[in-house]
Amino acid sequence: MMSALVGVGIFLFWFIAYPHALSYQEQYQLFLWTGDYFAEHVTIPGGLAGWLGEFIVQFYYIEWLGALLLALLFVALQLVTAHLLPKRWWWLSMVPVLLLWWLMGDINVLLSLPVAIVLALALACVMPGSFTWADVAVLPVAYWLIGPVVWVYILVRVLQLGWKHFWTAGWLFTVQLVAYAWLLPQWPLQQVLTGLNYYRIPLHFPQLSGYDKEMYELIRQDYLVRNERWDEIVKRAAEYQVRTPFWSNCVNLALAQKRLLADRMFDFYQSGEDALIMPRTRDLTSMLPSAEAFWRLGMVNSAQRYMFDTQESILDGRKSGRCTKRIAECMLVNGHYKTAVKQLELLKKSLFYRSWAEEVKLNDDWVNAHPVYGKLRKLRYQENFLYSYEEIDKMFGLLFMNNQQNKMALDYFVAQLLLKGNIPAFQHNMGIVQQYGGYRQMPLGYQDVVRCIQMQGRVPDSPYAKYVKQMTERSRK
């Protein structure tokens, strides 16, 4: 009954409440079904646990399946813990489950850590009830396969056999030092002693930080962008906001996809001039919504650059299935078929990206006929020029002039003018909006701006006046 409750609880938690967390973990790895990929993992301590963790994480691509596998892993943790405890203390088997569940609220905790813990406890379950020389022989092997979490095994054996068995702790420490000196000199000693692949950020450690509401809301918004669930993004934005450029990027992209940006943009929090597109920031997540916006605008080169930088910012050195696919798509749209082959060959060795990679045809006829790639090939810039984030409003304008059917580029162009407070340019381009925007009447957001101009900002209920006041106060600080 206890195991069933653990399994059901874990499954519902991840599948119903936190599917976006599963997507977040899956998008920062690309598990390859090759012998080389396995060999690459097992050449470092903890490599088997890391490989098994990534094996499970690849199934997060299908949310219910990922949640099910996580539930089974936690059930295994509860069962092996219960097996090691005296029967009257069976209820304590929930303690490691709850602690690890809470620890995984840290988004940088890799699944290799809970996998290694389960393997260490399982090893203690199968060892003899009294000391044998197998205890000595098993430690170097266990250390190499599951990493420093093997200390959990030693602790359990000490509790089983008494403190006389504690000398094996010195033996394990010696094994780690020998491994560092002979096989792992390129790694910091601290990592060799504490784990090379339990945490995404090198030389940092998991913290019992729990599930930060704002951080997970941003992860959810990016997850909804990835799955093009625009209505849900707008709905959530009306209920809860996170005052960051990342959040503004996601919401504005959703509004643009619904053709509501001109009407409702300033009904929501706007972070400033970076509310549509963020500048290049080399970290794990910041540029993802901007890259998605670039892609849908037809700014294919910028989308590729942002996705490439994001992938190179993965601190544990892994590839990203999501980024690799989008980089390949950008190359296809640009007609760079030879360079796309490398990305496609990687994806063909994965499980869930393979079918897409195999259906790709490396020729203009296939790309031009594709409903997405063919459209983007028409929307993209036809001439080369230098990218300048400081003049991104002009870049949106050039993109629209290149193809006047690109309504999203027009919306982003005018929106960027308003974010910068460039009212003369806004007024100058209202004729273009009326001629090419496809609106039956002037959008409500633009009407509000015109009213602010006429009343010199003295409009208490104006969303745009509120934004201008916010930016003015910020600049004074």
Side-chain angles (χ1 to χ4, degrees):
M1 181 65 73
M2 175 70 74
S3 300
L5 289 174
V6 169
V8 172
I10 295 291
F11 175 80
L12 293 178
F13 177 82
W14 293 109
F15 180 56
I16 302 298
Y18 284 89
H20 46 292
L22 300 181
S23 177
Y24 179 88
Q25 298 297 336
E26 184 275 334
Q27 72 185 16
Y28 291 120
Q29 69 166 55
L30 179 60
F31 186 89
L32 304 180
W33 289 70
T34 65
D36 289 344
Y37 193 72
F38 177 78
E40 175 189 342
H41 281 70
V42 297
T43 54
I44 62 172
L48 179 64
W51 185 87
L52 290 173
E54 292 186 22
F55 176 84
I56 295 172
V57 168
Q58 72 176 320
F59 293 100
Y60 290 4
Y61 191 88
I62 302 175
E63 293 152 15
W64 69 265
L65 183 55
L68 177 62
L69 293 176
L70 260 180
L72 293 176
L73 181 64
F74 273 80
V75 168
L77 174 63
Q78 188 268 325
L79 287 174
V80 294
T81 306
H83 180 81
L84 293 168
L85 290 169
K87 289 186 177 181
R88 66 179 182 276
W89 298 107
W90 62 269
W91 54 272
L92 287 176
S93 63
M94 284 299 298
V95 173
V97 170
L98 294 174
L99 286 175
L100 197 56
W101 192 350
W102 187 255
L103 183 67
M104 289 183 68
D106 184 337
I107 59 174
N108 291 308
V109 171
L110 301 177
L111 197 64
S112 56
L113 179 60
V115 167
I117 292 173
V118 171
L119 291 176
L121 294 175
L123 179 61
C125 288
V126 300
M127 291 299 288
S130 58
F131 172 77
T132 67
W133 286 104
D135 284 283
V136 178
V138 79
L139 281 180
V141 178
Y143 169 70
W144 201 261
L145 295 179
I146 67 177
V149 161
V150 75
W151 283 99
V152 172
Y153 162 79
I154 288 182
L155 177 62
V156 172
R157 292 297 280 170
V158 167
L159 294 176
Q160 286 177 329
L161 305 177
W163 291 104
K164 291 182 179 180
H165 192 73
F166 196 69
W167 67 270
T168 53
W171 167 230
L172 176 58
F173 185 67
T174 302
V175 167
Q176 290 180 288
L177 292 179
V178 170
Y180 170 70
W182 286 2
L183 302 172
L184 304 167
Q186 72 275 26
W187 297 93
L189 177 60
Q190 180 182 347
Q191 278 191 279
V192 174
L193 296 177
T194 59
L196 300 176
N197 56 5
Y198 297 145
Y199 201 67
R200 185 173 284 114
I201 304 176
L203 299 176
H204 286 70
F205 302 98
Q207 299 178 0
L208 289 171
S209 56
Y211 295 79
D212 181 82
K213 184 177 181 180
E214 291 197 348
M215 176 184 66
Y216 273 91
E217 183 62 25
L218 296 177
I219 292 174
R220 183 189 295 274
Q221 293 287 45
D222 178 57
Y223 160 77
L224 295 175
V225 167
R226 182 183 183 184
N227 291 280
E228 300 185 341
R229 290 158 61 172
W230 312 119
D231 289 322
E232 196 169 341
I233 293 173
V234 176
K235 180 181 177 181
R236 289 194 65 85
E239 298 170 353
Y240 182 73
Q241 68 177 16
V242 184
R243 301 175 72 86
T244 66
F246 186 100
W247 186 89
S248 295
N249 282 192
C250 293
V251 175
N252 288 331
L253 176 56
L255 291 172
Q257 294 301 295
K258 301 292 294 180
R259 244 14 266 281
L260 293 173
L261 189 66
D263 284 301
R264 300 191 59 194
M265 177 179 179
F266 291 100
D267 292 345
F268 301 93
Y269 169 76
Q270 300 298 328
S271 59
E273 295 182 25
D274 56 2
L276 293 173
I277 299 289
M278 289 184 63
R280 292 175 69 182
T281 306
R282 291 198 173 184
D283 64 26
L284 208 58
T285 57
S286 296
M287 294 187 295
L288 285 174
S290 298
E292 296 288 355
F294 278 139
W295 171 251
R296 289 164 178 80
L297 281 163
M299 297 176 69
V300 179
N301 290 345
S302 297
Q304 179 178 326
R305 182 170 60 252
Y306 270 43
M307 280 294 184
F308 182 83
D309 284 351
T310 296
Q311 178 162 258
E312 293 305 305
S313 299
I314 301 176
L315 295 175
D316 60 355
R318 298 292 171 228
K319 294 292 185 182
S320 161
R322 176 183 178 181
C323 293
T324 300
K325 181 182 177 184
R326 181 50 51 80
I327 291 169
E329 289 177 314
C330 292
M331 292 176 175
L332 291 174
V333 173
N334 282 327
H336 300 158
Y337 302 127
K338 291 184 179 180
T339 53
V341 169
K342 178 181 178 181
Q343 315 298 326
L344 294 172
E345 289 302 315
L346 280 175
L347 295 172
K348 287 178 183 178
K349 297 172 183 176
S350 68
L351 181 60
F352 294 107
Y353 300 94
R354 177 187 303 161
S355 60
W356 174 83
E358 290 178 342
E359 73 179 18
V360 168
K361 301 294 186 293
L362 298 174
N363 59 70
D364 288 339
D365 291 339
W366 185 85
V367 173
N368 291 335
H370 194 279
V372 176
Y373 309 148
K375 175 185 176 182
L376 291 175
R377 182 168 279 189
K378 295 176 182 178
L379 295 181
R380 64 181 180 149
Y381 296 110
Q382 301 304 313
E383 298 179 358
N384 293 326
F385 59 88
L386 292 177
Y387 174 90
S388 172
Y389 180 79
E390 289 71 22
E391 298 183 297
I392 199 164
D393 54 330
K394 296 179 182 178
M395 296 176 65
F396 292 148
L398 288 172
L399 188 65
F400 169 72
M401 295 305 294
N402 173 70
N403 188 322
Q404 295 169 356
Q405 299 301 313
N406 194 342
K407 308 300 184 185
M408 182 178 173
L410 178 60
D411 291 345
Y412 265 54
F413 168 63
V414 178
Q416 191 66 32
L417 293 177
L418 294 175
L419 289 170
K420 295 175 70 173
N422 192 344
I423 299 303
F426 167 77
Q427 293 174 306
H428 177 75
N429 287 284
M430 277 299 94
I432 297 176
V433 171
Q434 291 176 335
Q435 183 176 357
Y436 297 103
Y439 300 110
R440 293 183 179 180
Q441 62 179 11
M442 183 180 290
L444 296 177
Y446 297 168
Q447 292 182 35
D448 175 57
V449 175
V450 171
R451 192 158 56 106
C452 285
I453 296 171
Q454 294 171 343
M455 301 294 292
Q456 296 182 343
R458 294 188 291 270
V459 188
D461 60 341
S462 164
Y464 187 65
K466 182 179 179 181
Y467 167 77
V468 172
K469 181 180 179 181
Q470 167 192 319
M471 291 298 101
T472 302
E473 292 175 351
R474 182 183 298 179
S475 63
R476 288 174 180 171
K477 293 179 181 178

